[in-house]
Amino acid sequence: MYRFYCADADFSKSSVIIHDRHEIHHIKDVLRLKKGSVIQILNSKSQQADVTIEMINETMIQAAVKTIKQNENTGTKIILACAPPKKGKFEFIIEKCTELGVDEIIPLKTKRTEVVFAEDKWSSKRKRLEAVAVNASKQAKRTKVPKIHDMVSLSQVLKNLDPHGVHLFPSLHHHPKHIAEELLKIDGQKPVTVFIGPEGDFTADEVELAVKHGCVPVSLGDTVLKVETAAIATVALVKFLCRN
């Protein structure tokens, strides 16, 4: 069944309205769906509903709500704080980590982060990143779309860490503990924050600061991974080793 995103859809009502021009174009002109077609709609509350198209035109689609699926049970909450790499690979990270089940993504500014999103361009960039997350959620048949945070500094993220969560800090600073060892000890009910550094890794001072804020320094193995490889591999490990 075709799936579409309507952030403000209220499934407690008998029908919902789609105003998004991109989704209308996809439904009406690309797929050529008609009145009576059954589709699925996701909203920003991690809900999904099967709906039947009642009316369709150039500016709106009205659909009757049939059945509703409540929030997905994702098990361990996963937060990825990742320094964006060069060449647009941050979108690739968002896409693949969304498919794997990440819940929140924080663009991380560190001393060596080379890609820093300018404030005057962030609004349009964020919309693009959110669109990537929406499309990946639809493809993966998730009912939840990950939250994309504003870009913030490492120190800001560390100050706002959940005191009840687990915070893993992989780097190349010769940590004896492999991340898998730590993940196998974790209570699956606790949220897990994973930090992924930039090309060139975190500095020694940043690692020290993270440890002071309760982060656990870990290794990702003997090989040096690219940012996108480290992010995807780590989220996958958290997803599968910490599942309920």
Side-chain angles (χ1 to χ4, degrees):
M1 189 180 297
Y2 296 113
R3 309 176 82 231
F4 304 93
Y5 184 66
C6 183
D8 58 356
D10 183 357
F11 298 140
S12 66
K13 297 180 179 179
S14 60
S15 63
V16 294
I17 306 294
I18 300 175
H19 291 290
D20 184 277
R21 288 179 296 174
H22 174 77
E23 297 289 47
I24 293 172
H25 169 68
H26 193 194
I27 293 170
K28 179 178 178 293
D29 302 319
V30 177
L31 298 174
R32 299 184 182 278
L33 299 179
K34 306 292 184 181
K35 180 179 178 180
S37 297
V38 178
I39 60 175
Q40 289 180 340
I41 295 180
L42 317 178
N43 66 14
S44 60
K45 297 179 181 179
S46 301
Q47 296 173 318
Q48 172 183 295
D50 292 351
V51 302
T52 302
I53 295 176
E54 296 179 307
M55 182 175 68
I56 182 168
N57 59 41
E58 299 290 342
T59 59
M60 63 170 281
I61 293 174
Q62 179 175 311
V65 177
K66 296 175 61 181
T67 58
I68 303 170
K69 180 180 178 181
Q70 297 299 324
N71 302 22
E72 65 187 21
N73 179 16
T74 57
T76 301
K77 179 180 180 180
I78 307 172
I79 302 164
L80 173 65
C82 179
K86 294 180 290 186
K87 299 181 181 179
K89 292 180 180 177
F90 197 54
E91 291 186 13
F92 180 74
I93 291 172
I94 290 175
E95 178 184 69
K96 298 308 173 187
C97 289
T98 296
E99 292 177 23
L100 287 167
V102 76
D103 295 282
E104 299 180 27
I105 299 173
I106 304 171
L108 189 64
K109 184 178 179 181
T110 71
K111 290 181 180 178
R112 292 174 178 161
T113 300
E114 295 189 51
V115 178
V116 178
F117 301 127
E119 289 186 16
D120 60 334
K121 297 180 179 179
W122 172 241
S123 179
S124 59
K125 182 63 177 178
R126 183 173 187 165
K127 287 181 181 178
R128 171 60 191 164
L129 298 179
E130 289 174 339
V132 171
V134 167
N135 289 334
S137 293
K138 290 193 293 186
Q139 186 277 328
K141 295 188 177 180
R142 293 187 63 184
T143 59
K144 181 172 185 177
V145 177
K147 179 178 180 180
I148 309 295
H149 290 263
D150 291 337
M151 188 171 207
V152 293
S153 67
L154 173 62
S155 60
Q156 287 177 292
V157 178
L158 293 173
K159 288 176 184 177
N160 292 296
L161 288 175
D162 185 339
H164 303 294
V166 177
H167 317 298
L168 302 176
F169 207 86
S171 76
L172 300 174
H173 290 267
H174 306 294
H175 304 304
K177 295 181 180 178
H178 190 278
I179 188 171
E181 297 176 37
E182 292 300 314
L183 290 173
L184 289 171
K185 303 175 186 176
I186 291 174
D187 177 354
Q189 299 300 317
K190 292 184 177 181
V192 176
T193 301
V194 177
F195 291 84
I196 300 296
E199 292 116 335
D201 200 16
F202 293 111
T203 66
D205 289 344
E206 289 173 330
V207 176
E208 182 179 350
L209 180 65
V211 172
K212 287 181 179 178
H213 280 83
C215 293
V216 180
V218 293
S219 167
L220 294 181
D222 298 330
T223 58
V224 177
L225 305 179
K226 289 185 176 182
V227 176
E228 59 271 25
T229 308
I232 295 166
T234 304
V235 170
L237 280 171
V238 177
K239 180 69 176 177
F240 294 109
L241 293 182
C242 296
R243 66 187 184 276
N244 291 336

